[in-house]
Amino acid sequence: MLDRVADPEIAVLSLWDLGVLQDVQLASDEELRISPAWTTDWISADGREALRVYGIAPPADDVVCPLCEWSESQLISEFGSIACKALHRCGHCGETFDYFKRL
Ligand SMILES: [Zn+2]
């Protein structure tokens, strides 16, 4: 059931893909773990692939164009359509693409 709960801003990612959910247990009392803080390092391999197929470069040390997989790009804007994305232009195919910033 939780696989169907999508990120409200990037619908191709589930909360599992994002790594927001780490473990689920039934408990009689309310338990909520709020630390450690979420990081983009927790995005699953499936989530990273879903981002790439959707046209968003997943967070990484090197920004790779999701269209042609070229690793040289130019930062056009520090912010994209949402604050967690930046806008880049590929140095090979010339297309612009979103980069999911590493947090
Ligand atoms: Zn490219």
Side-chain angles (χ1 to χ4, degrees):
M1 190 167 56
L2 290 172
D3 287 337
R4 291 182 286 178
V5 180
D7 179 290
E9 294 174 337
I10 305 172
V12 296
L13 296 178
S14 72
L15 294 180
W16 287 112
D17 292 332
L18 277 173
V20 172
L21 297 175
Q22 297 287 306
D23 187 24
V24 176
Q25 299 174 358
L26 292 175
S28 58
D29 57 346
E30 284 196 32
E31 291 181 8
L32 176 62
R33 193 177 95 187
I34 58 173
S35 67
W38 177 82
T39 168
T40 52
D41 291 343
W42 294 358
I43 298 176
S44 69
D46 287 347
R48 291 173 188 277
E49 179 62 11
L51 283 171
R52 189 192 66 74
V53 169
Y54 193 62
I56 300 172
D61 289 335
D62 296 318
V63 178
V64 175
C65 174
L67 304 170
C68 73
E69 300 184 7
W70 193 256
S71 61
E72 293 176 17
S73 63
Q74 176 186 11
L75 176 65
I76 296 174
S77 174
E78 191 65 43
F79 298 97
S81 57
I82 55 178
C84 66
K85 295 190 297 187
L87 188 62
H88 281 250
R89 174 173 286 122
C90 178
H92 181 69
C93 70
E95 292 292 330
T96 57
F97 60 91
D98 284 324
Y99 167 64
F100 197 121
K101 298 176 198 171
R102 194 168 194 189
L103 303 172

